[in-house]
Amino acid sequence: MNYSELTEKIIGCAYRVYNNMGAGFLESVYEKCLAIELENVGLQAEFQTPIAVYYADRQVGSFIADIVVAGCVIVELKAVRTLNPAHEVQLVNYLAATKIPVGLLINFGEAKVEIKRRVLDLNHL
């Protein structure tokens, strides 16, 4: 499955969650709902995955990725009124740290699901 097909499946799962749950829940609730949907469509996913950040071959930090799907797409979840640029920067930093090429930022906001897709250019790292 290519990245486009994979992200389309993930996005479809996010819309099903939002259509069933609506707005107002905590991020952790949406994460558990999304886990069910991803499983239902046959996608392997890891949740709350620790990832180390390195500089000059030394670990200088770490973060927790909300979801890593099929080992090749990071999904960062939010449940805020609206996304802001800092959320996108966070996702891009996660992609750079892991060398995972594709990420989705999904916000289960007040009025609708907001989705941002980011692709890492591995040639510029």
Side-chain angles (χ1 to χ4, degrees):
M1 180 179 323
N2 66 37
Y3 290 113
S4 181
E5 293 169 332
L6 183 56
T7 57
E8 282 180 30
K9 277 189 166 190
I10 297 166
I11 291 167
C13 290
Y15 277 109
R16 280 191 295 283
V17 168
Y18 191 80
N19 289 340
N20 284 303
M21 300 298 290
F25 290 97
L26 294 174
E27 184 181 304
S28 60
V29 171
Y30 292 113
E31 183 177 307
K32 289 175 182 157
C33 295
L34 196 52
I36 293 167
E37 288 296 332
L38 292 169
E39 182 180 328
N40 287 345
V41 298
L43 292 177
Q44 182 274 329
E46 297 174 33
F47 298 85
Q48 297 300 310
T49 306
I51 297 176
V53 178
Y54 290 90
Y55 176 80
D57 296 326
R58 291 184 176 164
Q59 185 173 343
V60 295
S62 63
F63 65 89
I64 304 291
D66 288 335
I67 307 171
V68 178
V69 179
C72 61
V73 176
I74 291 181
V75 179
E76 180 63 21
L77 300 178
K78 300 293 178 193
V80 295
R81 183 176 305 218
T82 186
L83 292 174
N84 67 54
H87 297 132
E88 292 183 59
V89 169
Q90 177 186 17
L91 177 60
V92 170
N93 287 339
Y94 288 2
L95 296 177
T98 61
K99 309 294 188 277
I100 290 176
V102 178
L104 291 173
L105 177 59
I106 301 174
N107 180 32
F108 294 96
E110 290 181 353
K112 62 179 180 165
V113 176
E114 257 184 295
I115 299 171
K116 304 277 184 174
R117 184 175 188 264
R118 292 292 170 257
V119 178
L120 182 64
D121 183 354
L122 295 173
N123 295 321
H124 286 93
L125 293 178

